[in-house]
Amino acid sequence: MRFQRRAAAIGLIAAGALLFSACGSDNNSGGGSAPQAAGVTCGGKQALKASGSTAQANAITGFVNTFEQTCNGQTVNYTASGSGAGVNDFTGGQTDFAGSDSALTAAQTPAAQQRCASTPLNLPMVFGPIAVAYNVAGVTDLALDGPTLAKVFNGTVKTWNDPAIVALNPGKNLPAAPIVVNFRSDNSGTTQNFQNYLNAASNNAYGKPAAQTFNGGVGAGAKGSQGVTDATKSTPNSIAYIEASFAQKAQLPTASIINAGGGQPVPLSTDNLGKAIDAVKVTGQGNDLTLDLTSIYKTTTPGAYPISLATYEIVCTKYADPQTGTAVKAFLQTALSPQAQGTLTQGGYVPIPDAFKQRLSTSVNAIS
């Protein structure tokens, strides 16, 4: 399945200015009241418990606000603890669903199947760009590409005035200072997505396995998106990969990326990300909607921003407790509603294209 460009454009137009008016944090209250969502079958467990991805924390806030307005007395208590922790909580039976920046791995799936006693589903509910944020005095307009980023994050390119960076930034005053790489110290789907990008965009010049742990072998770790953001904000000559809304809130500059087609550097924006999502393919079977994002990482479309993630809700097809299944389905139905999708603009995310929303709706409605 491919995302249809027209549907993506509709979603992006609805998003308006999105990213550069967006700001958020794990503790964002979302502000204001969300309108009721139509077409939701409320009921079941009153208070769902979930944990995981910090990248989708702001999106979940909007979804929960709409859910509470739509289904009186029902809520979701979501802890933004990181994708790895979220999956562990879910497979350990401590939560009702998990948020993760990557689908279940082959190693994680058996534990999820055992926890569910049914088929676990990976449902990509939120899309957003990953920023390459940096802190270099006097440099507010930096261009990078996949091969150069791969060498920065595996330690091959060590200084800001390395010829590889200078060649992409003619006439800019780049210091001779060492590059300080900041990375997520906790298990993180953002880390896995970013390393997938580094390998794909550099023709494997990164040379490290893409996992939820950072494998570059260089730099300093910090816990969570906010931790990495704070470390970059306070450390001169540093660079990091973080979710776009965190970079925006911290007022950190973000690099423009030259995609696999060459040409002009592409600034980070959700409109530019939307240009890259056309060819995203579903690799999951049946109601499982695991995605292959390689087409984004290696996009050659002019003006397409190539670094993104899709955050999943990992759920059971059939819950042992029917009340839990009913409530999870109601929450995800709410998340797909126009009202909840409209709240995504507050956090710098891309609303789900209409064509793909239909397939998600089929999968959500199969939950029991």
Side-chain angles (χ1 to χ4, degrees):
M1 174 182 176
R2 294 177 180 267
F3 287 175
Q4 299 299 311
R5 182 74 191 111
R6 182 178 177 184
I10 293 170
L12 289 167
I13 291 169
L18 271 186
L19 180 68
F20 293 107
S21 63
C23 62
S25 71
D26 288 354
N27 298 317
N28 193 334
S29 65
S33 297
Q36 280 195 333
V40 177
T41 305
C42 299
K45 189 175 181 179
Q46 285 191 316
L48 292 170
K49 187 176 180 181
S51 65
S53 165
T54 60
Q56 68 171 12
N58 298 318
I60 292 292
T61 296
F63 294 166
V64 172
N65 286 344
T66 310
F67 185 46
E68 291 174 344
Q69 291 288 322
T70 301
C71 295
N72 186 39
Q74 291 189 260
T75 191
V76 176
N77 297 313
Y78 184 85
T79 301
S81 55
S83 298
V87 171
N88 288 338
D89 288 344
F90 176 70
T91 57
Q94 300 172 48
T95 55
D96 300 311
F97 65 91
S100 178
D101 301 341
S102 56
L104 291 169
T105 66
Q108 293 169 331
T109 298
Q113 289 174 328
Q114 183 175 8
R115 179 258 190 271
C116 288
S118 65
T119 302
L121 299 177
N122 301 280
L123 303 181
M125 302 294 293
V126 181
F127 292 85
I130 298 174
V132 177
Y134 61 94
N135 179 356
V136 180
V139 180
T140 58
D141 181 19
L142 183 70
L144 294 168
D145 61 12
T148 304
L149 277 168
K151 293 173 184 176
V152 168
F153 281 89
N154 70 11
T156 304
V157 169
K158 301 177 184 298
T159 63
W160 282 104
N161 67 343
D162 184 282
I165 299 178
V166 170
L168 300 175
N169 296 275
K172 295 175 187 174
N173 186 24
L174 295 165
I179 298 172
V180 179
V181 170
N182 291 321
F183 62 86
R184 287 280 292 271
S185 60
D186 53 326
N187 285 355
S188 164
T190 304
T191 296
Q192 184 167 9
N193 277 278
F194 185 66
Q195 291 183 114
N196 274 328
Y197 163 75
L198 293 179
N199 278 320
S202 69
N203 293 320
N204 292 314
Y206 179 58
K208 309 288 183 178
Q212 291 192 347
T213 54
F214 178 70
N215 293 315
V218 64
K223 186 175 180 179
S225 299
Q226 192 61 56
V228 174
T229 302
D230 292 343
T232 306
K233 183 79 170 179
S234 62
T235 306
N237 301 312
S238 61
I239 191 169
Y241 58 91
I242 52 178
E243 293 86 2
S245 62
F246 287 88
Q248 173 66 16
K249 183 175 177 64
Q251 297 183 326
L252 283 168
T254 58
S256 296
I257 307 299
I258 301 169
N259 69 32
Q264 295 298 310
V266 181
L268 187 158
S269 75
T270 49
D271 184 58
N272 290 342
L273 173 60
K275 296 174 184 177
I277 69 175
D278 294 351
V280 172
K281 297 178 182 178
V282 174
T283 59
Q285 300 298 312
N287 288 322
D288 179 74
L289 301 182
T290 299
L291 302 178
D292 177 3
L293 298 184
T294 303
S295 57
I296 290 181
Y297 304 145
K298 301 182 77 170
T299 183
T300 59
T301 301
Y305 184 83
I307 319 176
S308 71
L309 56 80
T311 60
Y312 296 83
E313 311 315 321
I314 298 173
V315 303
C316 300
T317 299
K318 184 178 179 65
Y319 283 84
D321 173 22
Q323 295 298 303
T324 300
T326 297
V328 169
K329 177 163 65 176
F331 173 67
L332 295 182
Q333 287 175 333
T334 304
L336 290 174
S337 70
Q339 294 89 336
Q341 288 291 299
T343 68
L344 292 173
T345 62
Q346 301 170 23
Y349 306 100
V350 179
I352 296 169
D354 288 345
F356 190 58
K357 191 187 296 182
Q358 292 301 313
R359 187 160 182 178
L360 269 171
S361 181
T362 298
S363 295
V364 167
N365 290 336
I367 298 169
S368 64

